[in-house]
Amino acid sequence: MNSKILFSSILLLTILSAQTPKAYIDMNPSWIKYESKGVSSKFKPIGFKCTAGYLLKNFSFASVAIEGSAMFGVNNDKKSTLTNSSGVTFTNAEISLDKLYSLHLKSMFPLTKSFNANLYLGGASAKVLSSSDTSSSNSSFENSFSYGAGVEYWTGADISLYANYMQYFKNLNAVEVGVGFRF
């Protein structure tokens, strides 16, 4: 149900972006770090994220926007052997991000005319898949509070370059570097 709400939010933001100069779209690869419960090894799958945002309010010291994102896994991470905290060994253990949806308030603090520091607060819903030679898990969607911080440089042509660190879940975070377009 939550994924339908997030998808509807993204769709609404996309429709709004066609009618207003305050809308933007961001695209980026995401280098994810995922820690499975009871396992000391960290998995590092890669995702691709698309974001649609809308600038809600400009203040003298900051701007506030709302944005919805969808991230999909594009590269799984595989470990040849893996032992959990119970001593069970798995061979060919693999983790992949199936889907991640998020909705955030984005606060943008101008450091210079074209360079911003950004803070993100919101929520995320994700589905992570795991498998090995002896087992597989098709998890359901899990929801969590999420937050992040980043920097963004806007060119004169309404194109941005940005880098963010996002903490989507206690055991799932990402470094994102991408490009954005303002309409």
Side-chain angles (χ1 to χ4, degrees):
M1 182 67 172
N2 287 331
S3 62
K4 290 179 183 178
I5 293 169
L6 287 173
F7 180 76
S8 299
S9 299
I10 292 168
L11 183 61
L12 177 63
L13 287 171
T14 303
I15 291 168
L16 288 174
S17 71
Q19 301 172 355
T20 177
K22 296 181 179 183
Y24 59 91
I25 295 175
D26 295 340
M27 296 174 285
N28 61 268
S30 299
W31 291 272
I32 302 164
K33 185 168 50 171
Y34 177 79
E35 297 180 44
S36 186
K37 297 172 186 157
V39 177
S40 61
S41 184
K42 295 175 183 155
F43 288 89
K44 297 179 181 179
I46 297 174
F48 187 81
K49 179 176 152 185
C50 293
T51 301
Y54 182 76
L55 183 64
L56 296 172
K57 183 79 174 162
N58 276 320
F59 297 98
S60 59
F61 59 92
S63 299
V64 177
I66 187 166
E67 58 182 41
S69 301
M71 184 189 309
F72 303 97
V74 294
N75 190 22
N76 305 339
D77 190 14
K78 196 173 204 175
K79 309 282 184 209
S80 58
T81 60
L82 182 70
T83 304
N84 69 11
S85 58
S86 302
V88 177
T89 300
F90 299 95
T91 55
N92 296 319
E94 184 174 26
I95 293 288
S96 64
L97 174 70
D98 185 30
K99 299 173 190 80
L100 185 144
Y101 302 106
S102 62
L103 187 62
H104 288 104
L105 282 178
K106 177 182 179 181
S107 299
M108 298 164 278
F109 302 94
L111 302 175
T112 68
K113 185 177 178 180
S114 56
F115 192 69
N116 295 336
N118 300 328
L119 295 176
Y120 302 86
L121 290 173
S125 182
K127 185 175 182 181
V128 176
L129 307 175
S130 62
S131 66
S132 71
D133 284 348
T134 57
S135 68
S136 68
S137 166
N138 289 328
S139 69
S140 59
F141 276 93
E142 294 185 28
N143 304 312
S144 177
F145 171 75
S146 61
Y147 58 91
V151 292
E152 184 171 32
Y153 174 75
W154 282 98
T155 68
D158 284 337
I159 298 172
S160 74
L161 304 172
Y162 62 89
N164 296 325
Y165 170 82
M166 297 297 296
Q167 185 74 44
Y168 291 108
F169 288 82
K170 182 179 176 182
N171 62 339
L172 191 151
N173 58 57
V175 172
E176 304 168 346
V177 178
V179 62
F181 305 93
R182 194 166 27 192
F183 301 95

